[in-house]
Amino acid sequence: MNALTTLKFVVAKRATAQTPTQQRRNKLCTKLFEQMQLAQAQAEGRVFAPTKFKTVKNAESGERRSIETIKRVKQWWWVTADGKLNLSIRYGAKVIEVSKGKNAIELSSVDELLPTLEIVKQAVEEGSLDAQIDAVSNKLRSGFKK
């Protein structure tokens, strides 16, 4: 019993669900992490090919099974005509307006890409982009209604 006396016991209840705001933050953070991995892979000269599981149905037997396929990850940055890099932040299929009237971050070189993605991810975790994420999320959801 001596070992247990050094521990602090409390009454605690685990939260069963996240708020919609926290779910949207987590979704965007996951996508930002994928972009960071893609940028890192391109910088190192290798191919980034994450996998996902897809359920397929056999036409003859009707049996469903999961197969592992390569997940397509589109890069959020592109090179402009003047040689600079533009980075847009996406939530689903929509681009987030990061600042009023501005939908991309301009970078002078590829070397700035990874640190910029880390800064954006930190801002999302802190909740700095909650209003923009909410606006884009509502716009996306309205497209699914009949």
Side-chain angles (χ1 to χ4, degrees):
M1 251 340 213
N2 275 343
L4 291 178
T5 58
T6 61
L7 302 176
K8 179 181 177 182
F9 292 100
V10 295
V11 177
K13 184 178 178 185
R14 180 178 229 164
T16 56
Q18 294 178 337
T19 63
T21 303
Q22 188 62 42
Q23 288 175 348
R24 287 191 283 271
R25 279 184 201 164
N26 289 344
K27 178 181 176 182
L28 185 55
C29 283
T30 302
K31 297 299 178 182
L32 281 165
F33 182 70
E34 284 180 354
Q35 291 297 312
M36 290 165 62
Q37 288 181 316
L38 179 63
Q40 185 72 35
Q42 285 184 358
E44 294 172 358
R46 58 183 171 84
V47 177
F48 176 64
T51 58
K52 67 177 182 177
F53 286 96
K54 179 180 176 182
T55 303
V56 293
K57 184 177 178 182
N58 188 340
E60 298 168 0
S61 65
E63 176 187 355
R64 292 182 180 266
R65 63 186 182 103
S66 292
I67 58 170
E68 192 173 10
T69 61
I70 294 175
K71 180 179 178 181
R72 188 177 81 176
V73 178
K74 291 183 182 179
Q75 67 183 30
W76 291 354
W77 63 91
W78 65 95
V79 179
T80 61
D82 59 352
K84 296 191 177 191
L85 212 66
N86 281 353
L87 169 68
S88 62
I89 308 301
R90 303 180 76 82
Y91 185 84
K94 304 285 184 191
V95 176
I96 293 177
E97 192 175 273
V98 182
S99 182
K100 188 72 175 168
K102 309 215 179 346
N103 63 352
I105 302 167
E106 185 178 79
L107 308 171
S108 60
S109 70
V110 179
D111 299 333
E112 295 178 11
L113 183 60
L114 205 54
T116 303
L117 284 168
E118 289 172 1
I119 290 169
V120 171
K121 185 173 184 248
Q122 183 180 4
V124 169
E125 289 170 346
E126 291 172 352
S128 302
L129 296 175
D130 282 350
Q132 292 92 330
I133 296 169
D134 192 39
V136 171
S137 176
N138 290 337
K139 190 185 288 187
L140 270 172
R141 260 185 276 140
S142 67
F144 289 105
K145 295 179 183 172
K146 292 183 180 181

